Amino acid sequence: MPNQRPELARAQSFCVAHGLRVPILLAPMAGACPPALSIAVANAGGLGACGALLMQPAAIKAWAADARAGGNGAFQINLWIPDPPPVRDPAAEASTRAFLATWGPDVPPEAGDATPPDFTAQCEAVLEAGPPIISSIMGLYPAEFVARMKARGVRWFATVTTVSEAIAARDAGADAIVAQGMEAGGHRGAFDAATAETGMAGLFALLPAVVDAVDIPVIAAGGIADARGIAAALILGASAVQIGTGFLRTPEAQIPPPWADAIGRAQPEQTMVTRAFSGRAGRGIATEYARAAAASGAPPPAPYPVQRALTQRMRDAAVKNHDIHRMQAWAGQSARMARAEPAADVVRVLWHGAMDLLR
Ligand SMILES: Cc1cc2nc3c(=O)[nH]c(=O)nc-3n(C[C@H](O)[C@H](O)[C@H](O)COP(=O)(O)O)c2cc1C
């Protein structure tokens, strides 16, 4: 990697610190990060990722073993920091269930009781899986867990959506900050669920502000899907970029074809931030369900993770029926740029293009 420009020198020192050849990180994407995708990105010189939110401990360890067997071991494992337990409102949930029954199968009252895997057990499994990097979103790991990570030489990448979250993460011991702009596909990483939609900063404003506020490497995420975005992020002070939607059309991602096709067509304004799938704000394709759920008169979504559990039947039926309009189709604002090519080619084309722009 040539290092005559400060942007490239910064990226190169990040790569050296983490054993990478290319400063491109696959974004951790819960439900959309099979080992094959990470293996392809890591073998092309970038960093693989496992979004372990929905995985039980045994599945987390199996993922790491598979990723190591096929690749070079360069990957991060990511967990969501749990929100406080949701306040349940049976009457409101009944309205939401009635609304959902017009979009998919009936939703029984107990559907909202389903809970995600136990966070403490997931943390233990992640440590046992032994990745070089553990990342967080939606908050900060407890100090005791951070100390155990550090004792094993594991680095902590903390996702933030504001400058104050970045400072809190730095103070809590993060080794690098992932600055997630509002363009990003999937859930917004706001520490406080209630501010996820009001505190929306775009990456062009957030990234240099975070770089100026903290003295540790910053990784840019949100709406980066081509060489121009990578070059711009490095010029704005990033040490590396993290790309999610830009890898979702690769064959290794194996997402349902209607979702991949919709990503390839979506202009920025054809995505929207919605709580209607999980109860936590996330950006996806502005499908008929997402738009109807935001219309006046629609019942407000239940808090996370209750809404996720309530929408499960509709989402499962949508995948079976190839129905994009009821699917949970996360996508960032640069979706249209996502390439339907093998992930290794995506890494190569994007990085070579960025280097050409920065020469
Ligand atoms: C399908 C999908 C699932 C995601 N799941 C997670 C997750 O589990 N943990 C996490 O930290 N970020 C998650 N994200 C957010 C990404 O880490 C990243 O911030 C985002 O993809 C960057 O924006 P882009 O999609 O425009 O590249 C997800 C994103 C997508 C598209």
Side-chain angles (χ1 to χ4, degrees):
M1 184 191 304
N3 64 356
Q4 51 277 61
R5 286 185 61 138
E7 294 82 8
L8 291 175
R10 195 190 314 112
Q12 184 166 24
S13 61
F14 181 88
C15 286
V16 168
H18 299 289
L20 310 176
R21 299 194 308 279
V22 176
I24 296 180
L25 284 54
L26 170 67
M29 294 186 280
C33 55
L37 180 54
S38 279
I39 289 167
V41 171
N43 287 347
L47 185 76
C50 172
L53 165 74
L54 303 169
M55 294 162 73
Q56 295 292 348
I60 293 173
K61 288 184 253 179
W63 188 98
D66 288 351
R68 269 200 194 94
N72 57 14
F75 57 80
Q76 58 169 308
I77 302 185
N78 169 275
L79 288 176
W80 286 30
I81 309 303
D83 286 334
V87 178
R88 302 287 295 268
D89 178 341
E93 282 179 29
S95 313
T96 301
R97 288 192 288 108
F99 179 71
L100 286 167
T102 68
W103 289 92
D106 283 348
V107 184
E110 67 279 7
D113 301 341
T115 49
D118 178 68
F119 176 67
T120 307
Q122 284 183 316
C123 285
E124 292 305 319
V126 171
L127 274 185
E128 275 178 48
I133 296 158
I134 295 177
S135 66
S136 57
I137 188 164
M138 315 296 187
L140 302 173
Y141 285 114
E144 182 262 333
F145 184 72
V146 175
R148 292 176 65 201
M149 244 192 269
K150 303 264 169 173
R152 293 170 186 234
V154 178
R155 315 285 179 82
W156 173 23
F157 290 2
T159 306
V160 309
T161 59
T162 63
V163 173
S164 59
E165 289 173 355
I167 291 169
R170 189 267 321 266
D171 291 349
D175 296 291
I177 300 293
V178 180
Q180 188 200 44
M182 59 166 270
E183 303 90 337
H187 284 96
R188 287 183 49 66
F191 291 8
D192 177 358
T195 64
E197 289 140 300
T198 49
M200 301 232 287
L203 192 62
F204 252 65
L206 179 67
L207 177 57
V210 170
V211 167
D212 289 349
V214 298
D215 43 8
I216 54 177
V218 180
I219 299 151
I224 300 172
D226 74 353
R228 293 169 295 183
I230 296 174
L234 295 185
I235 288 172
L236 288 171
S239 293
V241 298
Q242 183 161 285
I243 297 177
T245 308
F247 282 110
L248 284 179
R249 295 185 74 212
T250 63
E252 293 92 342
Q254 291 174 343
I255 64 170
W259 179 12
D261 293 346
I263 286 175
R265 284 193 304 271
Q267 297 290 1
E269 66 273 23
Q270 291 167 328
T271 69
M272 64 185 280
V273 171
T274 176
R275 287 193 291 123
F277 289 102
S278 72
R280 260 275 189 178
R283 183 176 295 280
I285 303 286
T287 57
E288 287 171 9
Y289 165 74
R291 282 183 280 125
S296 66
Y304 180 88
V306 179
Q307 183 76 7
R308 186 198 287 280
L310 295 177
T311 59
Q312 183 82 52
R313 286 168 173 75
M314 175 190 71
R315 293 185 284 111
D316 290 348
V319 171
K320 215 154 88 214
N321 300 329
H322 313 288
D323 178 1
I324 185 66
H325 286 290
R326 289 156 175 81
M327 225 177 254
Q328 176 175 270
W330 299 128
Q333 289 185 323
S334 296
R336 191 186 50 84
M337 297 176 186
R339 305 169 78 97
E341 294 167 10
D345 292 345
V346 174
V347 172
R348 258 192 300 274
V349 168
L350 265 53
W351 182 237
H352 287 152
M355 280 199 297
D356 282 346
L357 291 170
L358 290 169
R359 251 190 259 281

